[in-house]
Amino acid sequence: MDRRIRGTALACVLFATGLVTGCTAESPAESRRPATPSRSGAPTQPPRDAGAPQAGAQAGVEAAYRKWGLEPLAAPPAAPAAKPVVLSTGGGRIPVISEIPTQEKIVFLTFDDGAEKDPEFVTMMRELKIPFTMFLTNSAISSDYGYFKKLEALGDGVQNHTLTHPNLRTLGAAAQKQEICGQQTELKDRYGTTPRLFRPPYGNWNEDTRAAAASCGVEAIVLWRESMQIKNMQYQRGDKKLHPGDIILVHFRGPSELKGTTMTEMTANLLRHVQEQGFTIARLEDYL
């Protein structure tokens, strides 16, 4: 008896309890053939269609994208075992970042303020499963804290964008600390977790901002490389292209601020820009 066949048969005897499946004394060529139905109609060997659930899930994703008039984005890579940005946990000089160091063709979505509370946006994000991070201002979200709770329940991060959205460079150190620490407390009370990340309104900050944020328990100040307008992206770099690891700024805004465009329509435009440039979207908190 061929040694390979004899070894296979022996393995099936040893593991007849069912811990190993598909044990038949077959040649490699035979093992790649589809199962042949018996006269009863049942296959003579266990089915090997392990990809069926994945195929069904992929079909569901594609259908969701079609509903919103979009082409599917590629799945993001697995989160890195070691985060590429080292954050401060000791109250020192916290990092200020606009992008994540990576070679992967991924970008990160961040939504600011919280003035617009479009229920269709929640539906869109639930169906498309797009990860993003929210930098929330208390004066904008206080009319409906529950709206952002729905987004948080989808796995989207809640981070700090001050209590009242001032230009922090016009404030002294104590006032800046009140804006940042006060919002840390509000968000912890409303959503159960103290934010680790902070974005200064308008991107304006100074060393008093950095010191105040660190004293409030913030681990990094997060800025951006691109900002989404209504239909087009505004780029900081001259080549007007996305780069691996870029952080994109979007706002919770509605038709009154978007010339009649809804937030979901603006977001769809954004996703088209990302897809057309061959990128996909990853979760910011997985990288810092």
Side-chain angles (χ1 to χ4, degrees), residues 126-260:
R126 183 176 64 247
E127 293 179 351
L128 298 184
K129 298 177 173 57
I130 301 293
F132 66 91
T133 300
M134 298 176 279
F135 288 91
L136 300 179
T137 297
N138 196 59
S139 60
I141 69 174
S142 58
S143 63
D144 189 356
Y145 291 112
Y147 176 84
F148 303 95
K149 189 70 174 177
K150 295 174 186 176
L151 293 169
E152 184 196 34
L154 300 178
D156 302 308
V158 172
Q159 306 295 348
N160 189 331
H161 197 44
T162 71
L163 283 170
T164 65
H165 207 272
N167 179 352
L168 292 175
R169 286 203 301 237
T170 68
L171 303 181
Q176 291 199 45
K177 184 173 181 179
Q178 173 57 34
E179 282 284 340
I180 300 169
C181 289
Q183 183 65 340
Q184 290 286 89
T185 300
E186 284 286 347
L187 294 175
K188 171 64 167 61
D189 290 346
R190 298 292 177 178
Y191 302 107
T193 303
T194 303
R196 298 186 301 112
L197 309 176
F198 171 69
R199 173 170 286 161
Y202 317 106
N204 290 341
W205 64 280
N206 55 26
E207 287 304 319
D208 284 342
T209 313
R210 181 182 272 185
S215 72
C216 298
V218 169
E219 297 174 21
I221 292 174
V222 178
L223 302 178
W224 60 88
R225 279 296 184 185
E226 292 82 29
S227 60
M228 186 61 197
Q229 306 306 306
I230 299 173
K231 294 183 179 180
N232 297 308
M233 199 93 72
Q234 188 175 78
Y235 298 88
Q236 293 180 357
R237 299 184 183 91
D239 62 5
K240 299 187 182 303
K241 294 180 180 179
L242 296 172
H243 290 248
D246 279 359
I247 297 170
I248 301 173
L249 165 65
V250 200
H251 286 90
F252 285 97
R253 288 179 177 163
S256 63
E257 296 176 290
L258 300 176
K259 299 181 179 179

